[in-house]
């Protein structure tokens, strides 16, 4: 069994799930492959009806599921409600867009007749992380299922409970539980026809290698070290600073697309720092995730807390400014709590700047001119997200076009800048493929072509055996 503790009260057991041995992974994949024969034959309208029914069932249990998610993940209850609601909204959006996006296209003209159909792959193997276990699973399950695939899902053992409950309400999904060995058995199975993964770049490289050995196509959404660039004319009200603080510290900073490097012009750094610290004092409240006053809970595990503290200790030369406040009565020793901090005075090669911190620490970095900050922002091997902040939207878009990132926010960052219609994913070592938008739907189908060239249709002139098409 896999037992899950409450990271806010580390002695409290939240629940357990059965561990899946590699042989049982084989059985789950084979069940999914058998189910694919029937599920893929069902008209898309009927698949949509089934998925909309599941969305309604999840919504009806949202409070129960949000509480379970808060207890197993350490995310504040309001965030958990928001995540589940957003996942339901995404599933409904997928159902709305799928008939148009996945419809076949046909051309019948003087050049011939060409039909392109978008067909499901078969069994999709999905491996998802613990930091947003519901939405990051539904981003894969929704498009895969509506397109006619079946799914075998392996959630993270650090947050398996709420998503397992949700998946029980969905059609055509098998769930397996375990660590790396279970994941390898899933990704390397010969009946898995597509792989979708969200997580760290080290695990992503292993998954890509395993899938590549099987010539299985994959979608990988990996880590990020997102720069937030404030141009000299930035104009932020108090509410903007509060939104910026949460762009770094939501989910205790354990978000791939969090604002992880703040680049501020030298002439305005004192003003920025004062306003940022004041905003954090107003909005950042640390404590038990079930306390309605709390906006930041613990990190996911004791190991995560130790890694984050070691990263701070290794970043010599900086000054760490504590942010926010504890909720009344909160005991920081009750779980895996790490004090949120703004770290100033670091060089670009400090570990906290060069690496993805994935925790409640964010460095503030000073720059002098636009070309300099562009070079420094692009220096990372990761290229998931970035943001540009400016009173001049055209200037912001111009700089955004030169940033090496798959998704650039303007005057916001993290989830407040997302859109269901906007494809999201990384470049460089942040992965490949896209989620959200029509591109996210199309990841789960392959084009199947039927073509009758005009030369070989009735009345056609034919072509010589060695001829090239005109």
């Amino acid at each position: 069994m896999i037992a899950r503790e409450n990271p806010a009260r580390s002695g409290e057991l939240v629940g357990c799930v059965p561990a899946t041995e590699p042989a049982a992974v084989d059985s789950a994949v084979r069940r999914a492959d058998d189910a694919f024969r029937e599920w893929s034959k069902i008209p898309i309208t009927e698949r949509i009806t089934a998925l909309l029914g599941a969305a309604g069932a999840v919504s009806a249990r949202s409070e129960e599921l949000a509480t379970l998610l808060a207890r197993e993940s350490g995310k504040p209850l309001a965030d958990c409600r928001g995540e589940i609601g957003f996942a339901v909204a995404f599933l409904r959006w997928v159902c709305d867009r799928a008939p148009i996006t996945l419809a076949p296209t046909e051309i019948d003209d003087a050049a011939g007749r060409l039909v392109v159909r978008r067909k499901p792959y078969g069994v999709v193997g999905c491996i998802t992380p613990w930091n947003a276990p519901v939405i990051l699973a539904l981003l894969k399950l929704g498009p895969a299922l509506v397109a006619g695939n079946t799914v075998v899902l392996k959630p993270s053992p650090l947050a398996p409970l709420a998503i397992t409950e949700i998946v029980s309400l969905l059609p055509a999904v098998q769930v397996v539980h375990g660590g790396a060995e279970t994941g390898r058995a899933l990704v390397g199975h010969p009946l898995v026809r597509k792989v979708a993964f969200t997580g760290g770049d080290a695990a992503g490289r292993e998954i890509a290698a395993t899938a590549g050995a099987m010539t299985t196509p994959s979608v990988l959404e990996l880590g990020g070290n997102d720069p937030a660039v404030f141009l000299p004319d930035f104009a932020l009200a108090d509410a903007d600073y509060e939104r910026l603080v949460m762009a770094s510290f939501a989910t205790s900073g354990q978000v791939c697309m969090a604002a992880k490097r703040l680049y501020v012009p030298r002439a305005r750094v004192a003003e920025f720092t004062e306003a940022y610290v004041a905003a954090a004092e107003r909005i950042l409240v640390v404590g038990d995730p079930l306390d309605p006053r709390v906006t930041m809970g613990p990190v996911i595990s004791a190991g995560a807390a130790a890694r984050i503290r070691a990263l701070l200790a290794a970043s010599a030369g900086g000054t760490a400014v504590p942010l926010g406040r504890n909720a009344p009565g909160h005991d920081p020793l009750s779980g895996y709590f790490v004090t949120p901090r703004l770290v100033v005075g670091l060089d670009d090669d400090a570990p906290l700047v060069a690496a993805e911190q994935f925790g409640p620490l964010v460095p503030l970095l000073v720059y002098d001119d636009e070309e300099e900050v562009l070079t420094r922002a692009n220096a990372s091997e990761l290229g998931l997200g970035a943001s540009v902040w400016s009173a001049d939207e055209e200037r912001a878009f111009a700089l955004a076009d030169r940033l090496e990132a798959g998704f650039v926010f303007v005057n916001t960052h993290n989830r407040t800048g997302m859109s269901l219609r906007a494809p999201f994913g990384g470049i460089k070592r942040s992965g490949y493929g896209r989620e959200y938008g029509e591109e996210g739907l199309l990841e789960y189908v392959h084009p199947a072509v039927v073509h009758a060239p005009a030369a070989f249709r009735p009345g056609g002139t034919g072509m010589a055996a060695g001829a090239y098409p005109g």
Side-chain angles (χ1 to χ4, degrees), residues 128-446:
T128 53
W130 47 263
N131 58 332
V134 176
I135 183 58
L136 292 176
L138 268 293
L139 284 174
K140 299 159 183 59
L141 270 60
L145 294 172
V146 78
N149 303 279
T150 53
V151 175
V152 180
L153 171 69
K154 191 198 85 65
S156 168
L158 293 175
L161 303 176
I163 187 57
T164 298
E165 289 293 314
I166 288 170
V167 165
S168 72
L169 304 173
L170 293 168
V173 183
Q174 305 285 324
V175 181
V176 296
H177 292 289
E181 186 179 3
T182 305
R184 290 186 200 103
L186 177 59
V187 174
H189 198 288
L191 292 179
V192 169
R193 305 301 187 193
K194 180 95 181 194
V195 170
F197 170 75
T198 299
D201 60 331
R205 286 194 296 272
E206 182 178 351
I207 285 169
T210 303
M214 302 296 294
T215 63
T216 304
S218 56
V219 179
L220 303 180
E221 198 264 88
L222 307 180
N225 193 4
D226 291 18
V229 179
F230 298 84
L231 292 177
D233 67 344
F234 74 86
L236 303 184
D238 286 350
D240 299 315
Y241 276 105
E242 292 172 4
R243 184 160 37 88
L244 174 60
V245 167
M246 293 312 297
S248 291
F249 294 102
T251 315
S252 303
Q254 302 167 119
V255 179
C256 58
M257 60 180 178
K260 296 189 174 81
R261 294 178 284 157
L262 310 180
Y263 290 94
V264 180
R266 189 177 304 275
R268 301 191 64 185
V269 70
E271 163 202 350
F272 179 96
T273 303
E274 181 181 2
Y276 189 94
V277 171
E281 181 68 20
R282 293 192 300 272
I283 198 171
L284 207 53
V285 182
V286 180
D288 190 296
L290 298 181
D291 184 336
R293 299 166 295 186
V294 164
T295 59
M296 194 189 109
V299 297
I300 193 66
S301 66
R307 178 191 59 79
I308 293 161
R309 292 186 179 112
L311 184 62
L312 179 62
S315 298
T319 300
V321 181
L323 298 173
R325 51 199 162 89
N326 287 329
H330 168 58
D331 176 11
L333 300 179
S334 63
Y336 308 127
F337 291 92
V338 177
T339 301
R341 293 175 174 91
L342 179 70
V343 185
V344 299
L346 291 176
D347 295 328
D348 285 3
D349 59 357
L352 187 60
V353 179
E356 179 185 21
Q357 61 267 42
F358 218 69
L361 310 171
V362 64
L364 188 158
L365 306 160
V366 178
Y367 76 91
D368 292 303
D369 66 71
E370 191 169 311
E371 291 302 316
E372 171 208 340
V373 73
L374 181 68
T375 299
R376 293 167 64 193
N378 286 340
S380 174
E381 287 191 334
L382 302 176
L384 187 59
S387 62
V388 182
W389 303 67
S390 173
D392 182 343
E393 187 174 280
E394 291 304 315
R395 185 178 181 186
F397 269 72
L399 183 65
D401 194 48
R402 301 174 66 196
L403 286 169
E404 295 172 359
F407 197 112
V408 181
F409 307 94
V410 172
N411 289 326
T412 194
H413 202 123
N414 207 332
R415 67 187 183 213
T416 56
M418 299 298 291
S419 169
L420 295 176
R421 68 180 185 176
F424 181 85
I427 61 171
K428 301 197 283 191
R429 296 196 184 278
S430 288
Y432 44 78
R434 292 296 180 265
E435 295 183 319
Y436 295 100
E438 293 188 351
E439 289 83 352
L441 261 170
L442 293 171
E443 290 285 358
Y444 295 92
V445 291
H446 62 86

Side-chain angles (χ1 to χ4, degrees), residues 106-115 451-458 460 470:
E106 182 169 353
I107 301 171
D108 193 342
D109 59 16
R113 184 179 177 188
L114 174 65
V115 177
H451 184 215
F456 307 110
R457 300 182 76 187

Side-chain angles (χ1 to χ4, degrees), residues 8-24:
R9 294 189 292 275
S10 56
E12 177 184 294
L13 177 67
V14 181
C16 299
V17 293
T20 308
E21 298 297 326

